[in-house]
Amino acid sequence: MKAEWCLHRYEPEDASLWDTLVAESRQGTMLHMRGYMDYHADRFRDCSLIALRKGKPTCLIPANIRADGTQCSHGGLTYGGWLTPLSHFDGSDMLNLFEIWTEWCRENGIRQIIYKSVPHIYHKIPAEEDMYALFRFGATIETVNLSTVIDMRNNPGFNTLQKRHFKKASMCNPWIKETDKVSEFMPILQECLRDRHDAAPVHTENELQMLKRRFPTGVRLFLAGTGTEPEAAVCIYDTNSVAHCQYIATSESGRENGILTYLMHHLIHDVFYENRYFDFGTSNEDAGRILNSGLIHQKTGLGGRGVAYQIFRLDL
């Protein structure tokens, strides 16, 4: 029943409770922990909510509020709608939660919600009640980004081209290492993004090092090369059963010699083989309207297939 629910706006003193609810939810990951969310607290005005049912904290949504009054699934996160408990919560409960949530938003001058659903690959158990509620409340799709993901229980493997890259790299006898030092990882990443995409990493070196300290088993950095300098680098976010490639970089010599393919083979088959999914990340620009066909072809060649990351708009 709707009357059972009420909302509490998150305060810093709720951090321990928040992290407990994330850990006990169906779809919460490292990204939803306050230690991750709050590293860029100065960039976003937090408007996260905790939902109480009969006075007991039950669900939460990481969110911020824009200057125009729009509430967004947190702008610093790739995904993050309502996080829900493992049991005693169904589609009817979600509809009740949406009703009190939209009423709360109207009472607080919010007239639009941007909602980033958590992709199903991050769910511990099925958790798409929010997708149904979005439909019932008239939400429209704002953005769809296409990620490329290997289902590790049914991995199609490398295509012919990537097998050739792997064979070529193997003849160079590359070294591979995992490092805790972001200073070893960042130069090749910065160079690759600058030269190939005219871009910069989302995280600064200090920010990524801080996240590595806070989540030592969740943020992992891998390098590979044939000489003294790295020729390929991958930053993995290990979240629940998903190994997600947060950053992928290679040098010109690394591309010529197939070193990135060699490193990916190592990560897929020797490091994260027990994970359910290996997520190469999205290949989009301009809010999903542009697909980098070369990039997605490369990821598909490594064994990945499409998973949609969806963002919705709900006008109140």
Side-chain angles (χ1 to χ4, degrees):
M1 295 174 55
K2 171 188 166 185
E4 295 177 345
W5 294 89
C6 67
L7 295 180
H8 164 72
R9 188 163 176 173
Y10 172 82
E11 299 291 346
E13 55 266 28
D14 299 320
S16 178
L17 168 64
W18 179 278
D19 286 351
T20 297
L21 290 173
V22 170
E24 294 177 350
S25 72
R26 302 185 203 179
Q27 62 280 71
T29 73
M30 175 187 78
L31 272 66
H32 304 123
M33 295 290 188
R34 296 312 304 198
Y36 189 93
M37 289 181 59
D38 291 344
Y39 88 86
H40 46 25
D42 58 321
R43 302 179 199 172
F44 302 96
R45 182 185 168 198
D46 196 276
C47 191
S48 300
L49 300 172
I50 298 173
L52 294 83
R53 186 179 194 179
K54 296 182 179 179
K56 180 183 178 181
T58 303
C59 307
L60 56 85
I61 183 168
N64 67 282
I65 190 164
R66 296 178 182 169
D68 64 1
T70 299
Q71 188 187 41
C72 307
S73 288
H74 201 281
L77 306 180
T78 307
Y79 50 81
W82 280 104
L83 306 187
T84 54
L86 292 171
S87 60
H88 306 297
F89 186 91
D90 61 24
S92 295
D93 297 315
M94 183 61 83
L95 290 175
N96 289 329
L97 179 55
F98 260 65
E99 188 169 351
I100 65 149
W101 175 38
T102 52
E103 287 179 1
W104 183 92
C105 287
R106 292 188 188 96
E107 290 169 359
N108 285 273
I110 295 168
R111 292 294 177 265
Q112 187 178 83
I113 295 168
I114 302 297
Y115 188 94
K116 302 176 186 177
S117 60
V118 179
H120 73 270
I121 58 174
Y122 292 95
H123 297 179
K124 298 171 189 173
I125 60 175
E128 295 189 348
E129 290 85 356
D130 60 340
M131 304 289 280
Y132 177 67
L134 287 163
F135 159 70
R136 285 285 300 273
F137 278 72
T140 57
I141 293 177
E142 178 82 356
T143 300
V144 178
N145 289 306
L146 188 60
S147 195
T148 311
V149 179
I150 297 174
D151 182 341
M152 301 291 268
R153 300 187 305 184
N154 189 22
N155 182 0
F158 288 2
N159 67 7
T160 302
L161 178 61
Q162 293 299 333
K163 286 178 180 177
R164 287 203 297 265
H165 289 333
F166 178 75
K167 183 178 181 180
K168 182 177 182 180
S170 298
M171 295 175 65
C172 301
N173 193 27
W175 54 263
I176 294 175
K177 77 169 186 176
E178 183 173 5
T179 181
D180 292 332
K181 298 178 180 177
V182 176
S183 59
E184 295 181 336
F185 177 88
M186 195 59 84
I188 184 174
L189 175 64
Q190 291 172 329
E191 180 181 358
C192 181
L193 290 177
R194 181 182 64 247
D195 293 348
R196 293 181 64 82
H197 305 288
D198 192 25
V202 173
H203 302 91
T204 66
E205 181 175 324
N206 288 339
E207 287 171 344
L208 192 56
Q209 189 67 64
M210 177 178 63
L211 292 173
K212 174 63 179 166
R213 287 194 301 269
R214 291 180 180 179
F215 301 97
T217 61
V219 179
R220 301 182 66 179
L221 308 171
F222 297 89
L223 304 171
T226 56
T228 57
E229 297 299 322
E231 295 172 88
V234 179
C235 172
I236 295 286
Y237 280 6
D238 193 3
T239 57
N240 294 336
S241 61
V242 181
H244 169 77
C245 298
Q246 179 68 15
Y247 292 116
I248 301 172
T250 184
S251 66
E252 187 64 35
S253 63
R255 283 187 289 276
E256 291 176 359
N257 294 320
I259 306 303
L260 180 60
T261 300
Y262 190 88
L263 176 55
M264 285 298 187
H265 185 277
H266 173 71
L267 296 178
I268 294 165
H269 294 281
D270 299 324
V271 183
F272 298 105
Y273 58 91
E274 293 185 338
N275 288 56
R276 171 67 194 278
Y277 297 104
F278 191 93
D279 182 3
F280 293 103
T282 59
S283 304
N284 300 96
E285 302 170 27
D286 190 24
R289 294 175 181 85
I290 296 175
L291 181 66
N292 186 325
S293 58
L295 184 58
I296 203 164
H297 181 71
Q298 178 190 31
K299 294 173 180 178
T300 302
L302 293 167
R305 300 295 185 266
V307 171
Y309 280 41
Q310 299 183 80
I311 303 175
F312 297 84
R313 186 183 76 248
L314 179 57
D315 295 320
L316 303 178

